[in-house]
Amino acid sequence: MYRYLIIINPLGFLYGSAGAFLSPDNLVGRSGAKFPPDAYTLSGLFFAANKTEPFIDHEELKKLHIAGPFWAELNNPEYFYLPIPWTKIINQEENQTDEWEIRDGQWYRSEETKDIKPDSRWQTINYWEDSAAEILSNGGTSKDPWKYTSILHPKLTKTERCVQEEGGLFLENSVQMGYSTGDNADQETCLVYLSTHEIPDGWYCFGGENHLVEINSMKLPDDSWILQLLKQKIQRSCALITPGVWGSTRFSRRYPDPEHTTFPEPSHILTDRPSPYRYRVGDNKGKGRLGRGRYAVPAGTVYVFDEPLNKSWWGDRKEPGFPDELEFINESGFPNEWFPNEGFYLKQLGCGLCLPLDITGVD
């Protein structure tokens, strides 16, 4: 089970993906821009930091599980924000809400409210079990607390501090963390990830351009309401709170293939277009890098099943004990066969972490 909140406070700018393409009309490369960094970015930082100044046995570090990304107000990280399920439509600007439900075996929205468009992407975890109207009235929803900005960088010559004549300038698509947009709009924000292990507090280089961040590990108590929520078993409906890459092959799927796994085929899915999910791993000799590119089912995706799943993502066990925990997960939690295994299980990167969800019309 996750035992720590990893709190990342950017000290200035952070790196944002350069996007899907560059063109004369799109020099900054905002198309397909991706932020915040997925869990594999933080997992790489764990191993890099441990290699420089070991703080944990390497074999123990191989058991690392991380999930995210999430974000929070810096002075209140335990009440972090996670993606809103697609069944809940919240429009902060118009103060309007709506929810999808199941009627006559189909997704349904009322004619009176079906034109409401969501403008909020995040909600606080403590309002997970509340309705869209309750979340809005309690101020538990927010838009992205960051903004993209382009920075012009010079590439200097090797012998003097002058810009190279050719290719001497380039644009970086950076991100600046700002303030929350809810009732506490004056609160500074930070990134948050769930982790089974802690990392020593300090300053680290984080992300593709090695921007400086301050990292702190916050231990969750045994009776934490966050852990209690993560332990709840999923019955007939759930929503992803992290991107999901399914299947044991190199194909991207909307859910694990029932023909090759024990996963029941969903009767209903509510989702958006897939999101890029790309990471790099080293070879067995610790040299070189191997890039893995997939498409992930985006966080917020909702699944409905004909029969109760009766499993949680983790399982019931209070303390993970390796290798026994792997056998236990196969029996009581999401089986490892549901996740791609290309060098390691993507379950270790929090892939497809989900929570039970109440939907009108679903028993």
Side-chain angles (χ1 to χ4, degrees):
M1 177 59 70
Y2 296 114
R3 285 297 176 187
Y4 297 91
L5 294 182
I6 306 300
I7 303 163
I8 299 180
N9 180 26
L11 302 177
F13 291 100
L14 275 174
Y15 174 73
S17 170
F21 65 89
L22 290 175
S23 70
D25 298 326
N26 185 31
L27 292 177
V28 180
R30 298 274 177 82
S31 176
K34 191 172 185 302
F35 187 87
D38 284 311
Y40 46 76
T41 304
L42 181 57
S43 68
L45 177 60
F46 263 81
F47 281 88
N50 196 60
K51 185 176 181 181
T52 303
E53 294 185 13
F55 56 88
I56 189 173
D57 181 75
H58 184 71
E59 292 302 315
E60 175 66 21
L61 191 56
K62 290 181 179 180
K63 307 170 189 176
L64 175 69
H65 284 63
I66 292 179
F70 313 111
W71 67 271
E73 293 164 0
L74 189 59
N75 63 347
N76 205 16
E78 190 174 3
Y79 294 91
F80 58 85
Y81 286 79
L82 41 73
I84 299 175
W86 277 93
T87 52
K88 300 178 183 180
I89 295 91
I90 301 176
N91 189 301
Q92 276 186 293
E93 295 294 335
E94 302 295 334
N95 195 34
Q96 295 177 324
T97 64
D98 191 19
E99 294 198 36
W100 285 95
E101 57 185 74
I102 299 291
R103 282 195 185 181
D104 299 325
Q106 302 290 331
W107 287 114
Y108 172 82
R109 285 180 65 184
S110 170
E111 291 291 330
E112 299 177 355
T113 56
K114 70 177 184 178
D115 292 330
I116 298 176
K117 304 295 183 182
D119 67 354
S120 299
R121 179 186 173 193
W122 305 90
Q123 70 163 85
T124 52
I125 187 172
N126 55 310
Y127 292 133
W128 177 260
E129 297 175 331
D130 293 353
S131 67
E134 291 171 330
I135 295 171
L136 179 61
S137 63
N138 291 325
T141 183
S142 178
K143 302 176 183 178
D144 292 344
W146 51 75
K147 62 180 180 180
Y148 288 93
T149 182
S150 55
I151 301 176
L152 190 62
H153 282 279
K155 188 173 184 180
L156 305 180
T157 62
K158 295 181 179 180
T159 58
E160 55 185 345
R161 297 188 62 82
C162 295
V163 178
Q164 294 181 359
E165 293 184 3
E166 295 185 5
L169 293 174
F170 66 93
L171 283 174
E172 178 191 2
N173 191 27
S174 295
V175 179
Q176 184 176 21
M177 290 288 289
Y179 297 87
S180 58
T181 60
D183 291 346
N184 299 322
D186 59 340
Q187 295 297 324
E188 190 175 356
T189 57
C190 59
L191 298 179
V192 173
Y193 297 81
L194 291 165
S195 175
T196 54
H197 297 69
E198 64 179 326
I199 188 172
D201 295 348
W203 292 3
Y204 296 85
C205 291
F206 181 73
E209 293 296 322
N210 292 327
H211 290 285
L212 198 62
V213 297
E214 182 181 13
I215 295 183
N216 299 101
S217 299
M218 175 181 172
K219 187 171 183 179
L220 297 172
D222 292 339
D223 60 351
S224 169
W225 56 271
I226 296 177
L227 300 182
Q228 297 303 318
L229 181 60
L230 291 172
K231 291 176 183 177
Q232 289 187 20
K233 291 185 177 180
I234 294 164
Q235 300 303 321
R236 287 198 55 203
S237 53
C238 65
L240 301 185
I241 60 173
T242 63
V245 181
W246 302 119
S248 58
T249 68
R250 296 184 181 181
F251 295 101
S252 296
R253 302 182 183 275
R254 300 175 76 187
Y255 52 88
D257 187 357
E259 294 185 4
H260 300 93
T261 72
T262 59
F263 191 88
E265 183 174 347
S267 58
H268 298 82
I269 300 177
L270 198 61
T271 187
D272 195 11
R273 63 182 181 180
S275 58
Y277 193 91
R278 186 171 182 83
Y279 59 94
R280 294 185 298 182
V281 295
D283 59 19
N284 294 331
K285 299 179 181 179
K287 301 178 181 178
R289 290 175 176 175
L290 177 65
R292 293 293 189 188
R294 302 286 286 274
Y295 281 103
V297 179
T301 295
V302 175
Y303 294 96
V304 179
F305 307 98
D306 286 329
E307 300 294 333
L309 194 61
N310 201 32
K311 295 179 182 291
S312 66
W313 190 90
W314 262 108
D316 298 330
R317 197 164 185 168
K318 295 182 178 180
E319 290 290 345
F322 289 80
D324 296 337
E325 188 224 20
L326 295 180
E327 298 178 0
F328 177 82
I329 288 177
N330 287 336
E331 295 176 357
S332 303
F334 279 19
N336 288 320
E337 65 179 6
W338 292 5
F339 303 90
N341 178 16
E342 299 173 358
F344 55 90
Y345 287 105
L346 291 191
K347 186 169 186 177
Q348 291 188 253
L349 300 180
C351 179
L353 181 61
C354 56
L355 294 174
L357 185 68
D358 291 330
I359 301 175
T360 302
V362 179
D363 297 333

